[in-house]
């Protein structure tokens, strides 16, 4: 498990910085690293790792009453636009629907056209719109 956390942690930090625009290590890395470790330990972290490098990753961030939410969908910058994300995410959705919850959701920024196209290819559909407000 520790090896998985060691591999996933840098990718998780990169995703957070890119997508949220905030450095999760700004106050130190202990809390965020612990969260990544919790997801790995629970079996809620999914990744394609080759030679120690994460090519694709996502996690189940929460699950309740037959619904779960994916978070942190990320493809390493060197591997983007190579057709990795859609089949990898489709595989994760199949596993999650079988093992965690039958309904799978996620949030995506409206300006993230590549991600939205990937989610369309996987068969996801937009059902609502909301805004995040960071203080």
């Amino acid at each position: 498990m520790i090896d998985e956390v060691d591999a996933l942690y840098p990718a998780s930090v990169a995703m957070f910085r890119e997508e949220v625009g905030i450095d999760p290590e700004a106050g130190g890395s202990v809390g965020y690293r612990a969260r990544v470790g919790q997801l790995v330990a629970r079996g809620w972290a999914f990744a394609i790792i080759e030679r120690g490098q994460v090519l694709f990753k996502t996690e189940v961030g929460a699950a309740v009453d037959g619904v779960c939410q994916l978070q942190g969908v990320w493809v390493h910058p060197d591997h983007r636009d190579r057709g990795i994300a859609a089949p990898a995410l489709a595989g994760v959705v199949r596993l999650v629907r079988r093992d965690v919850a039958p309904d799978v959701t996620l949030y995506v920024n409206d300006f993230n056209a590549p991600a939205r196209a990937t989610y369309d290819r996987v068969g996801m559909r937009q059902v609502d719109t909301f805004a995040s407000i960071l203080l």
Side-chain angles (χ1 to χ4, degrees), residues 57-124:
K57 69 156 222 66
T58 189
E59 305 91 26
V60 174
V64 65
D65 296 332
V67 178
C68 71
Q69 181 177 323
L70 295 181
Q71 67 180 23
V73 180
W74 183 82
V75 174
H76 190 284
D78 293 346
H79 298 278
R80 292 178 185 164
D81 298 321
R82 294 186 182 184
I84 294 171
L89 186 59
V92 169
V93 168
R94 280 192 299 277
L95 290 171
V96 168
R97 290 180 84 184
R98 182 191 72 201
D99 298 339
V100 180
D103 292 319
V104 179
T105 67
L106 57 73
Y107 296 123
V108 61
N109 289 319
D110 63 348
F111 56 80
N112 193 340
R116 292 172 62 96
T118 295
Y119 304 149
D120 287 344
R121 284 192 296 280
V122 171
M124 297 178 143

Side-chain angles (χ1 to χ4, degrees), residues 1-80:
M1 178 178 90
I2 296 303
D3 289 341
E4 293 170 343
V5 174
D6 288 345
L8 282 172
Y9 184 71
S12 297
V13 169
M15 181 286 309
F16 207 94
R17 287 176 180 152
E18 291 171 22
E19 190 71 18
V20 182
I22 296 173
D23 185 351
E25 296 181 310
S29 64
V30 174
Y32 192 63
R33 186 175 179 82
R35 176 63 176 153
V36 173
Q38 288 174 337
L39 295 169
V40 168
R42 190 157 192 183
W44 283 8
F46 303 88
I48 297 171
I49 302 172
E50 290 183 359
R51 293 181 293 284
Q53 182 180 64
V54 175
L55 307 184
F56 166 89
K57 69 156 222 66
T58 189
E59 305 91 26
V60 174
V64 65
D65 296 332
V67 178
C68 71
Q69 181 177 323
L70 295 181
Q71 67 180 23
V73 180
W74 183 82
V75 174
H76 190 284
D78 293 346
H79 298 278
R80 292 178 185 164

